[in-house]
């Protein structure tokens, strides 16, 4: 299984989502359940935004470059021919 590293921006988003979830419960304290829900939201959004339709794998390059590694590899193979 491939590990996906988190950027500082994603970690900050996780904190903000956790805090927002706590506020939805009218709490000033962030609890473990708030962090768990924030993790679930982040995981689902990454899965939706970064799923390579060709491989069914999560490919973070889709988010950063707009193109999956598999489609870039196919294009490189065509260019080499």
């Amino acid at each position: 299984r491939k590990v996906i590293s988190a950027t500082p921006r994603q970690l900050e988003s996780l904190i903000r989502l956790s805090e927002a979830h706590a506020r939805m419960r009218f709490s000033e304290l962030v609890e473990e359940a708030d962090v768990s829900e924030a993790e679930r939201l982040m995981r689902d959004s990454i899965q939706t935004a970064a799923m390579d339709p060709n491989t069914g794998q999560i490919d973070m390059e889709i988010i950063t470059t707009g193109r999956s590694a598999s489609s870039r590899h196919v294009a490189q193979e065509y260019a080499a021919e």
Side-chain angles (χ1 to χ4, degrees), residues 15-28:
I15 292 168
R16 286 192 303 275
L17 284 169
S18 299
E19 291 170 341
H21 194 266
R23 284 192 303 272
M24 285 175 42
R25 295 184 303 99
F26 302 105
S27 174
E28 293 184 14

Side-chain angles (χ1 to χ4, degrees), residues 3-75:
V3 174
I4 299 172
S5 59
T7 65
R9 188 175 192 169
Q10 289 169 323
L11 294 174
E12 290 169 356
S13 295
L14 189 62
I15 292 168
R16 286 192 303 275
L17 284 169
S18 299
E19 291 170 341
H21 194 266
R23 284 192 303 272
M24 285 175 42
R25 295 184 303 99
F26 302 105
S27 174
E28 293 184 14
L29 299 175
V30 174
E31 297 177 359
E32 188 175 337
D34 301 313
V35 176
S36 295
E37 180 60 13
E39 287 175 338
R40 186 194 68 77
L41 288 168
M42 289 285 288
R43 186 175 44 253
D44 287 353
S45 69
I46 288 172
Q47 201 167 29
T48 300
M51 182 70 68
D52 182 344
N54 298 321
T55 65
Q57 302 275 328
I58 293 177
D59 185 349
M60 293 304 285
E61 288 192 39
I62 293 172
I63 293 174
T64 58
T65 66
R67 193 169 183 193
S68 69
S70 67
S71 69
R72 195 177 63 258
H73 180 69
V74 168

